[in-house]
Amino acid sequence: MREANVFPTYRGEMEYVCLGCKARYPIDELHYTCPSCKGVFLLEDTRFSELEKTPGTAWRDIFDLRAATKNPALRGIFRFYELMAPVVAEEDIVYLGEGNTPVTRSSSALERLVGQPMAFKNDGQNPSASFKDRGMACAYSYLRHLVAKHDWDNVLTICASTGDTSAAAALYAAYVGAPLTSVVLLPQGKVTAQQLSQPLGSGAKVLEIPGVFDDCMKVVEYLADHYRVALLNSKNAWRILGQESYAFEVAQWYDWDLRGKVIFVPIGNAGNITAIMSGFLKLLRLGIIEALPRIVGVQSEHANPVFRYYAQDAEQRRFEAVKVRPSVAQAAMIGNPVSFPRVAYLAEQYQKLGGAGSFQVVQVSEQRIIESMLLANRHGHIACTQGGECLAGLLKAKELGLMEEGELAVLDATAHALKFAGFQDMYFHDGFGPEFEITPDKKLANVPRLVIDQDEKSRLSEDAFTVQAAQNVVGILGLDKK
């Protein structure tokens, strides 16, 4: 078992690769967009072919052995060190307990209702309660590496967020400490109270900008272009690398056999679906998996630029940003996703190797998103609204005939349900404005509540109150006497 704790000796040689003009840049500075054409980057290990000399079965054994490690640097996403950021020193790796989130098979009752075998990967069980910790663990580890290399004495980390990114960025900055300080920009009035409290609690400077996420993103992009700041949105290619660990973990959970699996992923800024495709492609290239799983991206009708792109004829496709409307899937409420060029590039690679149906995008209504979240949670899951979006996507895929009998759907619950508890409460109390286009189902929203007048309680003795309250419970539940 000691071998599981030994840090890898392999070191890669990584470069930024622009998806626009194909220019390459060294990694000794932080780059977010190409200096030549403003295109977005992927990171490439130019020594990756060295890894191909190790058989896929041997890689499986290596990663399976590390699953039992007690070395903090290998316990999280860096269990798959060679496949992600193999330039970071062991002492620079930041580990807060991220990764290794459970894949929970759905109850037989829920599977009967849906008509498909299914499971949720509960990424809300990451430290800041969302999948964003995967990317931040990698981005902050590399930032720590750069700080040590250049002896920087003051680094301002900054991000735009719909909630989850800011929580993760602030948490990891607080852990690393000096010389890092954290600033987050949020769309004013469009982040849940639970999400707003997280960066505040971690000590970040929180600035609210009128508008939506896309407006915040423009501000941080301007700052990153003109000032020395470390941008931590998914324009940061190191974050994409960290999020590839989701794909690696899913593959490992199913003993590296992904045949008959369909991965459902909500699309917001498109970094997560980018990372998941990239991760599976790496596993296939190394022979660790023998077949790609199918991937279905899901978008709300209120924020659907990627769906609109793929709904066009392949020869005439043209990407256009959309003006978003209010959505309960707040983390996906993005009309101009930064990572779209990565999606287009990787989806083409994915379909070449996995077939035309290996990558698809569906859109769903807000009504179905919130009710799918409730459906999942009432059958024992802890899915957020984005997890509800994935279940809604599965239901839509079945309606469109995209699912085969017996295929296992693996749904991405990107955050913890408690982050979006306010939306559940709005559903139960019919509190949605008309812009959400959600009308609560009276049967689903009719949650019995025991109400006893406070004045009546004060008039009764303790025993009399107990009897009165119990009789009210009996009236609601229709209990029979023994």
Side-chain angles (χ1 to χ4, degrees):
M1 292 302 294
R2 291 181 179 177
E3 293 178 10
N5 299 326
V6 176
F7 198 77
T9 58
Y10 173 80
R11 294 296 179 271
E13 295 177 359
M14 304 196 73
E15 293 179 338
Y16 291 102
V17 182
C18 174
L19 293 182
C21 67
K22 309 304 178 185
R24 290 175 175 265
Y25 294 88
I27 60 169
D28 54 352
E29 294 287 341
L30 283 172
H31 288 291
Y32 310 110
T33 57
C34 177
S36 299
C37 73
K38 299 302 179 184
V40 296
F41 286 120
L42 286 177
L43 281 158
E44 180 182 305
D45 180 2
T46 60
R47 295 190 64 217
F48 194 84
S49 59
E50 291 294 311
L51 302 179
E52 295 181 68
K53 296 176 181 177
T54 300
T57 53
W59 281 118
R60 295 180 192 177
D61 291 341
I62 290 169
F63 296 140
D64 285 346
L65 184 64
R66 284 185 196 159
T69 186
K70 293 182 180 178
N71 181 346
L74 296 174
R75 279 186 60 78
I77 64 170
F78 282 99
R79 178 197 312 173
F80 310 100
Y81 177 84
E82 294 90 344
L83 308 189
M84 293 200 308
V87 294
V88 178
E90 182 176 5
E91 61 270 19
D92 291 330
I93 288 178
V94 184
Y95 172 67
L96 299 186
E98 66 284 333
N100 301 317
T101 56
V103 177
T104 305
R105 182 71 181 256
S106 297
S107 67
S108 56
L110 181 55
E111 290 189 353
R112 283 195 300 271
L113 282 171
V114 174
Q116 198 77 32
M118 58 175 284
F120 272 100
K121 185 162 175 61
N122 295 321
D123 251 17
Q125 291 179 248
N126 278 299
S128 78
S130 92
F131 78 97
K132 297 295 176 70
D133 295 335
R134 296 178 179 277
M136 291 302 172
C138 186
Y140 271 91
S141 295
Y142 186 68
L143 187 54
R144 213 177 189 184
H145 166 81
L146 279 184
V147 166
K149 180 177 181 179
H150 297 299
D151 197 26
W152 290 338
D153 58 1
N154 182 27
V155 180
L156 184 71
T157 68
I158 191 165
C159 70
S161 179
T162 55
D164 291 335
T165 300
S166 63
L171 177 67
Y172 282 78
Y175 181 84
V176 173
L180 306 185
T181 56
S182 177
V183 175
V184 301
L185 273 66
L186 305 175
Q188 190 172 32
K190 294 181 173 64
V191 175
T192 70
Q194 294 88 345
Q195 290 173 303
L196 178 59
S197 70
Q198 288 187 277
L200 289 171
S202 294
K205 294 179 181 178
V206 178
L207 308 176
E208 293 186 279
I209 303 293
V212 295
F213 169 85
D214 298 304
D215 298 303
C216 296
M217 193 67 221
K218 290 174 184 176
V219 175
V220 298
E221 286 173 335
Y222 180 87
L223 294 173
D225 285 343
H226 295 87
Y227 298 89
R228 187 174 138 185
V229 298
L231 181 124
L232 286 164
N233 285 98
S234 55
K235 269 198 170 180
N236 185 323
W238 298 97
R239 264 198 48 196
I240 301 299
L241 283 183
Q243 288 165 214
E244 289 180 9
S245 60
Y246 182 98
F248 306 150
E249 288 178 19
V250 169
Q252 187 172 40
W253 180 257
Y254 290 108
D255 290 325
W256 313 104
D257 183 4
L258 295 174
R259 290 168 293 189
K261 311 294 190 301
V262 186
I263 315 300
F264 283 79
V265 186
I267 300 177
N269 220 10
N272 210 29
I273 196 164
T274 291
I276 290 169
M277 283 192 288
S278 180
F280 285 134
L281 286 169
K282 284 182 181 178
L283 294 179
L284 186 69
R285 181 176 170 183
L286 293 179
I288 299 172
I289 61 174
E290 296 177 356
L292 293 170
R294 293 202 296 122
I295 292 179
V296 178
V298 188
Q299 290 205 295
S300 165
E301 293 174 349
H302 286 198
N304 61 354
V306 180
F307 169 79
R308 289 188 179 195
Y309 176 82
Y310 283 102
Q312 302 171 51
D313 291 336
E315 300 78 18
Q316 300 174 341
R317 283 176 183 157
R318 181 169 175 268
F319 179 80
E320 292 184 356
V322 302
K323 184 176 181 179
V324 299
R325 292 177 285 160
S327 172
V328 293
Q330 277 192 330
M333 201 174 80
I334 297 171
N336 190 19
V338 164
S339 286
F340 176 75
R342 295 171 176 144
V343 173
Y345 171 78
L346 288 166
E348 183 179 356
Q349 308 300 313
Y350 208 86
Q351 290 173 313
K352 283 181 180 178
L353 295 170
S358 60
F359 175 83
Q360 294 167 299
V361 184
V362 298
Q363 72 170 351
V364 295
S365 70
E366 288 293 308
Q367 182 85 24
R368 183 164 267 187
I369 290 173
I370 187 70
E371 291 181 352
S372 294
M373 179 181 70
L374 292 171
L375 179 65
N377 293 345
R378 288 185 174 190
H379 286 83
H381 291 290
I382 51 172
C384 58
T385 48
Q386 288 74 231
E389 188 174 19
C390 279
L391 179 50
L394 170 57
L395 294 169
K396 173 62 75 171
K398 286 184 67 63
E399 290 173 5
L400 295 173
L402 302 180
M403 297 296 295
E404 296 180 11
E405 185 177 353
E407 281 187 312
L408 175 65
V410 181
L411 312 184
D412 186 3
T414 62
H416 200 287
L418 291 177
K419 284 196 176 192
F420 299 88
F423 285 125
Q424 292 192 63
D425 194 56
M426 289 168 70
Y427 188 87
F428 295 144
H429 290 94
D430 196 8
F432 287 107
E435 65 276 13
F436 280 93
E437 298 182 312
I438 293 174
T439 302
D441 182 306
K442 291 183 180 179
K443 292 181 180 179
L444 189 60
N446 184 21
V447 179
R449 287 176 170 81
L450 180 64
V451 178
I452 296 178
D453 184 82
Q454 183 64 36
D455 290 336
E456 180 183 1
K457 181 178 187 291
S458 63
R459 289 194 300 268
L460 297 172
S461 68
E462 185 174 333
D463 288 344
F465 168 73
T466 299
V467 172
Q468 180 64 52
Q471 288 176 344
N472 285 2
V473 172
V474 170
I476 290 173
L477 301 180
L479 299 177
D480 294 326
K481 284 191 174 183
K482 291 183 179 179

